[in-house]
Amino acid sequence: MKIILAYSGGLDTSVILTWLKQNYDAEIIAFCADIGQEEELDGLTEKALRTGAAKCIIEDLREEFARDFIFPMFQAGAIYEGQYLLGTSIARPLIAKRMVEIARAESAEAIAHGATGKGNDQVRFELTAAALAPELKMIAPWRVKKFRQQFPGRAEMIAFANENKIPVEATVSKPYSMDRNLLHISYESGVLEDPWFDASSPQMRDMYKLSVAPEDAPNDAEHVDLAFNAGNCVAVNGMSLSPLGVMQTLNKLGGRHGIGRVDIVENRFVGMKSRGVYETPGGAILHFAHRQMETLTMDREVMQLRDSLIPKYSTLVYDGFWFSPEREALQALVTETQRDVTGVVRLKLYKGNIIIAGRKSPKSLYDPQIATMEAVASTYDQGDATGFIRLNALRLKVRAALKTKGKGA
């Protein structure tokens, strides 16, 4: 039997690799998608082979991640529950998609993941596999009773790793987990499970990897210009960049100024609430700038229609339905709304804040000759507003009269 395992080299997936090999008498092919983990990938192939993998496949998917997943999602203005920029959520369908492709190329019967049975990632991996390759078997060790009995806690996993000479760097004293990619880093569990605990306190300073604390950011603001074409950022400060280049550049800029830290309690798809801390410096800048470009170039009714779909779109991404027909239908509408979202946005970054400093576009719907209070515009007669207001007030007057009549009775 061949199993494709989503592998990170951390404690959970390292233990799972050995456990799968022992319990399924299988050949394990470890797969790691390079989606921006940076130094976390160092020595990963050697570690996987030493742990018992027959093969370790590491593929650079960063450009595809930015181009085909992050950018379309940002065109939709997606933000889950008003705060979360979906950094982990949007990465899972890409990883699972590639796992399915590798499973077919390797003639594997199953794919496996180390997602907990209490979380969202299990759903994202498995819904993607169901949409793309329903014939593949899915193995989720955390939902196997035998596995949970063997590993009731982190201490047992560390002991198992030591007994089996599994090379992992993990301690019982540092239990919070971290997940990194091109869009963000998420932190959860351990001390962070207490929603009263201050994740911005000095004792947590070393936890953050992408950004400085806002109070430690430079005392001088920095300006940055983002150029958009059809809803996608194509240049930063006049330099043309690929989607990957945009994300890398904005991450550095945002991180330097303490941009994009979020501490939230969110609703998981499985029904419970969880507390997460996120760093999304580049994503926060991109989301803000994109919205500013839209305010100048999108028709009011089109914007309101698209905005009404943001909660639905965001929930689909969060819940793992990226490859669903409804998300694809929404994306087609989003693409249409973005045709004229073209121009340049200038921002000022200062101590955790993103401040608009200017916007311009050849597709601008803003006409100062109409909006100005200083002159008479031939296209707008202020007297026309009299009838406009009278018509809109009619139903209110009828209701008021009815209420007055009711009181008289």
Side-chain angles (χ1 to χ4, degrees):
M1 182 180 186
K2 281 186 181 180
I3 301 172
I4 310 299
L5 170 66
Y7 179 73
S8 68
L11 178 62
D12 283 26
T13 57
S14 295
V15 167
I16 285 171
L17 195 161
T18 300
W19 187 86
L20 287 172
K21 191 173 181 180
Q22 293 176 352
N23 287 267
Y24 287 81
D25 190 26
E27 178 181 321
I28 312 299
I29 298 174
F31 169 67
C32 179
D34 178 0
I35 50 175
Q37 301 94 312
E38 301 291 342
E39 66 276 0
E40 293 178 20
L41 298 176
D42 293 345
L44 199 64
T45 298
E46 180 185 358
K47 184 184 293 186
L49 296 177
R50 287 174 58 193
T51 305
K55 184 189 297 186
C56 181
I57 300 172
I58 302 175
E59 293 187 352
D60 186 350
L61 303 181
R62 293 175 300 166
E63 194 70 71
E64 181 182 358
F65 183 37
R67 182 190 64 238
D68 297 341
F69 291 81
I70 296 175
F71 271 36
M73 182 179 72
F74 273 70
Q75 282 189 324
I79 184 166
Y80 182 68
E81 297 186 337
Q83 298 182 87
Y84 176 39
L85 288 168
L86 297 161
T88 297
S89 313
I90 193 61
R92 299 322 190 211
L94 171 58
I95 297 171
K97 166 182 168 287
R98 190 63 190 126
M99 289 178 71
V100 164
E101 293 168 349
I102 291 172
R104 286 174 168 161
E106 296 284 344
S107 299
E109 295 91 340
I111 59 177
H113 61 77
T116 172
K118 287 186 175 182
N120 301 303
D121 280 345
Q122 57 178 341
V123 185
R124 296 164 183 156
F125 279 118
E126 296 183 36
L127 289 182
T128 296
L132 301 180
E135 75 280 3
L136 287 175
K137 180 180 179 181
M138 181 64 65
I139 302 174
W142 280 110
R143 298 207 306 269
V144 177
K145 186 176 181 180
K146 180 180 178 181
F147 182 86
R148 295 197 307 274
Q149 288 176 336
Q150 188 173 349
F151 304 109
R154 195 173 180 84
E156 289 77 12
M157 297 189 81
I158 293 173
F160 179 86
N162 291 333
E163 291 168 9
N164 289 272
K165 295 182 172 55
I166 299 172
V168 294
E169 296 178 7
T171 64
V172 179
S173 61
K174 189 181 179 183
Y176 68 78
S177 65
M178 182 181 90
D179 184 78
R180 179 175 185 172
N181 63 45
L182 182 64
L183 182 53
H184 84 165
I185 299 183
S186 65
Y187 307 93
E188 61 182 6
S189 80
V191 294
L192 299 176
E193 290 180 349
D194 177 4
W196 186 250
F197 178 79
D198 182 5
S200 68
S201 61
Q203 71 187 88
M204 301 300 290
R205 184 179 298 269
D206 292 338
M207 180 179 76
Y208 298 93
K209 307 296 182 185
L210 294 179
S211 62
V212 301
E215 56 267 32
D216 295 331
N219 291 325
D220 296 322
E222 181 174 0
H223 287 80
V224 56
D225 289 0
L226 280 72
F228 286 85
N229 182 45
N232 287 322
C233 183
V234 294
V236 178
N237 288 333
M239 180 178 294
S240 296
L241 297 168
S242 70
L244 172 59
V246 168
M247 295 308 302
Q248 291 174 324
T249 300
L250 295 183
N251 276 333
K252 291 178 181 177
L253 282 169
R256 185 159 64 237
H257 292 277
I259 305 292
R261 290 189 178 186
V262 178
D263 182 337
I264 63 177
V265 175
E266 66 199 59
N267 290 296
R268 288 180 179 172
F269 188 23
V270 293
M272 68 186 73
K273 290 184 180 290
S274 67
R275 192 267 189 98
V277 178
Y278 303 97
E279 288 183 279
T280 320
I285 294 173
L286 184 60
H287 185 273
F288 184 93
H290 179 256
R291 182 68 185 194
Q292 293 299 319
M293 194 76 270
E294 288 181 328
T295 64
L296 195 64
T297 58
M298 278 183 74
D299 174 81
R300 181 188 70 179
E301 298 303 318
V302 173
M303 178 179 284
Q304 290 180 2
L305 174 61
R306 196 284 313 274
D307 286 356
S308 71
L309 299 170
I310 288 176
K312 177 63 176 178
Y313 185 105
S314 304
T315 300
L316 288 174
V317 175
Y318 188 85
D319 291 349
F321 288 97
W322 180 260
F323 289 104
S324 67
E326 61 270 33
R327 200 283 306 175
E328 292 170 356
L330 286 180
Q331 197 71 57
L333 185 145
V334 167
T335 299
E336 176 65 21
T337 69
Q338 298 296 298
R339 285 193 305 171
D340 294 333
V341 182
T342 297
V344 179
V345 174
R346 174 165 291 170
L347 304 176
K348 182 165 63 175
L349 311 180
Y350 182 69
K351 290 190 177 295
N353 295 291
I354 309 171
I355 304 160
I356 184 67
R359 48 181 93 69
K360 61 181 180 179
S361 170
K363 303 281 190 177
S364 176
L365 296 176
Y366 171 74
D367 187 341
Q369 296 304 313
I370 296 177
T372 181
M373 299 292 184
E374 303 301 326
V376 177
S378 60
T379 55
Y380 187 92
D381 184 343
Q382 295 189 46
D384 291 345
T386 301
F388 172 76
I389 295 170
R390 184 180 293 120
L391 288 173
N392 278 279
L394 178 60
R395 66 185 180 88
L396 303 179
K397 291 179 178 180
V398 171
R399 181 171 181 266
L402 185 62
K403 290 171 68 176
T404 301
K405 183 178 179 181
K407 289 180 181 178

